[in-house]
Amino acid sequence: MTWTRRKFGCFAGATCVAALSARAARGQARARVVVVGGGIGGATVARYLAASAATLDVTLVEPKLRYTTCFFSNFYLAGLRSLESLTHGYETLAEQCGIKVIHDTVTTIDPIAKTVVLKGGGSLNYDRAVIAPGIAFKFGAIEGYDEAATQVLPHAWNAGPQTKLLRQQLESMEDGGVFLIAAPPDPFRCPPGPYERACLVAYYFKQFKPRAKIMILDAKDTFFEQDLFQDAWNRHYPGMIEWLPGQFTGGVKSIEVKARVIKTASETFKVSVANIIPPQMAGELAQRAGLADQSGWCPVDPMTFESRLQPGIHVVGDAISGGEMPKSAFATNSQAKVCAFAIAAELTGAEQTAPHLFNTCFTVFAPNDAVSDSINLKPVAGSIKINDIFISQVGESDELRRDVARTANGWYAAFTHDVFG
Ligand SMILES: Cc1cc2nc3c(=O)[nH]c(=O)nc-3n(C[C@H](O)[C@H](O)[C@H](O)COP(=O)(O)OP(=O)(O)OC[C@H]3O[C@@H](n4cnc5c(N)ncnc54)[C@H](O)[C@@H]3O)c2cc1C
């Protein structure tokens, strides 16, 4: 299905579209929105704004020609999906949605002059800017683990070359070797992600390297869906996965990169392959543009996703201080739609619609065993709070788990279509 203005009109409500048309009829200049970052947040904002594009000029700036999703990248690590099947281009956004797509990097933003500066030269003026830069890593947090070290011990927490490198290392690892995952402190991108990664790599090991072990050195004492994961580890991969909580080890303190030696305060581990997922913060541009506070994340008004630090600039996705909203692609997409409708309302004078914020995540333990969680959230006193929540339970039937696994695959196709067309 190709996105059309008529469909957007049905979705957004007739008032918004009518107001946009009224602005066009009055002959006013097209308002300019510059969206920085063509990941899940940026692509969704651009697409939903451009769907009302009779009067809006929407530009999307993203350095990469093609975007690889982090979600389902654990399937690639298990050998269950190709990286190509997780990779999406910008052709539909550019050719069918009327978005001007510029492949470049934004180096700075001037909130007074309302311009973004491009690395390749030149700048873009905006009436509203949206920044969706994803995450950056706190490289100083683990001694010895810097950007260069990621080429030996990948984080694979941004999908693409890092994920490919980790898969190559897992493939060439000896049977009987140890694969270590260093899980980060909260808050971080995709709370169930490190533990799902342990499951799907264990699935691969079970077939091809049955004597291999997986060790999770966690910075935390508990993690999301812990009971579901521990139940799944016992059922599918008995004796293969060991989880060491932060209270016993204090988490990873330092690393000797070439020797693949990982140290906690009191123990030293020599491993075959290490996946170091460092502590995280909002993407670099957010830090440079003064959008992040001391927490490292960007405070926003949850009604509009406008920055609380830089008026006129909105921030969506993993980069925000999201209150109780997790850092996920689904949550990001939901925020992006609220943001797009708020900007459309602001620039056209249309009535603002009440924000609806949701998250649904599928977590896969084995190809036929998956669970889900669904959260309905709402802005409360300037933050985002959980309204109600559903989470799968330990002990569900095999049939139900198979159905959820099937639904997860269907969700991937529908969701990426919603974002990239
Ligand atoms: C292993 C793993 C599994 C996951 N599984 C799921 C899942 O099952 N379900 C789910 O909902 N979520 C999942 N997630 C989380 C999901 O991938 C993220 O929450 C989502 O990608 C966040 O979107 P974003 O737009 O904030 O950031 P991103 O998607 O990372 O996009 C940021 C974009 O900004 C661009 N950018 C950065 N700086 C600049 C700049 N200066 N100029 C121009 N462009 C710039 C980058 O190139 C990038 O394309 C998973 C994550 C991981 C790591």
Side-chain angles (χ1 to χ4, degrees):
M1 182 185 83
T2 316
W3 190 255
T4 65
R5 282 174 201 164
R6 187 181 297 272
K7 287 182 187 113
F8 177 87
C10 297
F11 190 85
T15 26
C16 179
V17 174
L20 290 168
S21 307
R23 183 185 169 110
R26 288 197 299 271
Q28 292 177 0
R30 285 159 70 88
R32 297 151 303 180
V33 183
V34 174
V35 182
V36 183
I40 301 307
T44 306
V45 170
R47 186 157 190 238
Y48 275 71
L49 274 171
S52 59
T55 57
L56 290 179
D57 228 358
V58 182
T59 303
L60 178 65
V61 186
E62 162 62 44
K64 295 191 292 277
L65 296 181
R66 307 187 79 213
Y67 173 88
T68 304
T69 62
C70 284
F71 44 99
F72 281 48
S73 65
N74 289 332
F75 279 80
Y76 166 74
L77 293 177
L80 293 167
R81 272 188 93 134
S82 69
L83 213 51
E84 184 56 28
S85 77
L86 305 179
T87 301
H88 306 269
Y90 295 92
E91 298 78 16
T92 306
L93 295 184
E95 291 160 18
Q96 293 181 29
C97 300
I99 298 165
K100 185 174 180 198
V101 179
I102 298 177
H103 289 294
D104 207 332
T105 299
V106 169
T107 53
T108 49
I109 305 172
D110 182 337
I112 308 295
K114 293 195 164 185
T115 54
V116 305
V117 178
L118 303 176
K119 192 175 177 184
S123 60
L124 302 166
N125 298 319
Y126 64 82
D127 294 296
R128 289 270 153 173
V130 183
I131 313 299
I135 52 163
F137 301 103
K138 293 183 178 171
F139 280 116
I142 298 174
E143 192 188 325
Y145 195 72
D146 55 15
E147 193 140 16
T150 65
Q151 298 307 311
V152 183
L153 311 176
H155 54 71
W157 222 240
N158 273 325
Q162 278 281 296
T163 329
K164 213 168 169 179
L165 178 61
L166 183 56
R167 171 69 187 166
Q168 283 162 358
Q169 293 185 354
L170 292 169
E171 278 183 303
S172 49
M173 189 181 113
E174 73 281 13
D175 190 8
V178 174
F179 170 47
L180 182 141
I181 299 174
D186 290 322
F188 65 102
R189 164 173 283 182
C190 193
Y195 316 96
E196 182 193 67
R197 179 165 287 178
C199 289
L200 290 179
V201 171
Y203 175 79
Y204 164 69
F205 283 165
K206 203 171 157 182
Q207 297 166 81
F208 298 102
K209 303 171 203 276
R211 294 187 302 114
K213 299 275 184 234
I214 299 174
M215 180 190 293
I216 306 171
L217 263 184
D218 212 322
K220 306 176 291 302
D221 293 337
T222 57
F223 59 90
F224 184 62
E225 295 177 330
Q226 186 168 339
D227 57 339
L228 289 164
F229 275 107
Q230 289 178 324
D231 170 66
W233 292 343
N234 290 334
R235 285 186 294 111
H236 292 291
Y237 316 110
M240 190 178 260
I241 300 173
E242 184 182 13
W243 173 67
L244 294 170
Q247 61 185 329
F248 297 143
T249 67
V252 177
K253 290 279 177 281
S254 66
I255 296 179
E256 289 171 28
V257 175
K258 282 204 181 114
R260 289 195 158 82
V261 167
I262 317 294
K263 293 181 181 171
T264 65
S266 58
E267 285 184 276
T268 297
F269 302 94
K270 170 101 178 109
V271 302
S272 313
V273 177
N275 172 207
I276 308 298
I277 308 168
Q280 293 159 31
M281 57 187 175
E284 277 164 26
L285 179 65
Q287 312 288 338
R288 232 178 302 135
L291 293 160
D293 63 17
Q294 309 89 306
S295 71
W297 305 101
C298 304
V300 294
D301 173 355
M303 300 294 289
T304 60
F305 290 85
E306 184 169 3
S307 166
R308 291 201 186 279
L309 302 179
Q310 302 285 4
I313 303 178
H314 299 244
V315 189
V316 297
D318 287 354
I320 70 160
S321 303
E324 294 178 350
M325 197 163 197
K327 297 188 185 301
S328 79
F330 196 112
T332 294
N333 175 266
S334 176
Q335 294 162 10
K337 288 170 184 169
V338 169
C339 176
F341 297 147
I343 291 174
E346 172 67 27
L347 293 178
T348 64
E351 193 185 334
Q352 191 176 330
T353 49
H356 294 289
L357 294 165
F358 305 98
N359 184 59
T360 295
C361 273
F362 297 96
T363 302
V364 180
F365 302 137
N368 282 324
D369 185 357
V371 293
S372 66
D373 69 273
S374 294
I375 312 177
N376 177 10
L377 305 105
K378 61 176 182 189
V380 177
S383 186
I384 304 175
K385 300 272 183 213
I386 293 176
N387 200 30
D388 49 68
I389 181 163
F390 160 85
I391 303 186
S392 298
Q393 299 294 311
V394 170
E396 289 167 340
S397 70
D398 292 352
E399 196 187 349
L400 176 59
R401 293 294 181 84
R402 237 191 322 274
D403 278 352
V404 178
R406 254 197 305 269
T407 307
N409 281 304
W411 170 80
Y412 184 94
F415 182 77
T416 50
H417 182 77
D418 184 49
V419 176
F420 295 104

